[in-house]
């Protein structure tokens, strides 16, 4: 509903830039395997747990005339140690495949 509302209020040929979490990311997989909530609290699961695949995003943005989807940001905030050890070129390359953020640029 929110994606459709953005489309409704955009001017003709207007551009929306939206970030959603990536369901097929390293960060998402690690949290699921370890059964650790994203906010660190077992009581209240964080709303960040809503993550999407590129296919789901394409369907959500089907009313837009043009949609560009990019994946980025390999690690979540709890990965400081791994982040500091990984070479930047590898971090960027993996981030584009299994990164935590999906950035969508959509034209009405």
């Amino acid at each position: 509903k929110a994606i459709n509302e953005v489309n409704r209020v955009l001017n003709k040929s207007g551009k929306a830039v939206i970030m959603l979490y990536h369901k097929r990311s390293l960060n998402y997989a690690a949290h699921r395997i370890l059964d650790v909530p994203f906010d660190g609290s077992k009581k209240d699961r964080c709303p960040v747990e809503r993550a999407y695949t590129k296919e789901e995003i394409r369907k959500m943005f089907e009313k837009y005339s043009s949609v560009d989807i990019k994946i980025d940001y390999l690690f979540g905030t709890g990965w400081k140690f791994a982040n500091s050890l990984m070479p930047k070129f590898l971090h960027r390359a993996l981030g584009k495949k299994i990164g935590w953020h999906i950035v969508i640029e959509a034209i009405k």
Side-chain angles (χ1 to χ4, degrees):
K1 288 181 181 180
I3 302 302
N4 290 334
E5 180 64 8
V6 170
N7 184 286
R8 187 187 71 77
V9 300
L10 273 176
N11 291 329
K12 185 178 178 182
S13 300
K15 179 163 104 172
V17 179
I18 298 170
M19 189 281 295
L20 297 172
Y21 293 107
H22 189 201
K23 193 180 275 186
R24 296 199 176 125
S25 69
L26 175 64
N27 196 49
Y28 189 85
H31 281 274
R32 290 291 157 248
I33 290 166
L34 300 172
D35 193 30
V36 176
F38 293 95
D39 68 352
S41 165
K42 286 267 187 199
K43 260 189 183 172
D44 185 21
R45 308 261 320 161
C46 182
V48 171
E49 292 185 55
R50 288 233 168 149
Y52 303 90
T53 64
K54 286 171 75 172
E55 295 78 20
E56 290 169 329
I57 289 170
R58 285 190 204 292
K59 187 169 182 163
M60 290 165 50
F61 283 83
E62 65 188 4
K63 290 185 178 179
Y64 291 78
S65 66
S66 171
V67 179
D68 183 36
I69 299 172
K70 293 182 181 151
I71 300 170
D72 202 358
Y73 192 70
L74 181 60
F75 297 117
T77 56
W79 294 76
K80 290 176 186 168
F81 181 71
N83 201 9
S84 66
L85 293 177
M86 183 171 286
K88 289 187 187 218
F89 78 92
L90 186 56
H91 188 276
R92 280 191 294 272
L94 289 174
K96 291 181 186 309
K97 297 290 183 191
I98 56 173
W100 183 217
H101 294 171
I102 297 181
V103 179
I104 304 104
E105 291 186 16
I107 307 294
K108 183 171 182 175

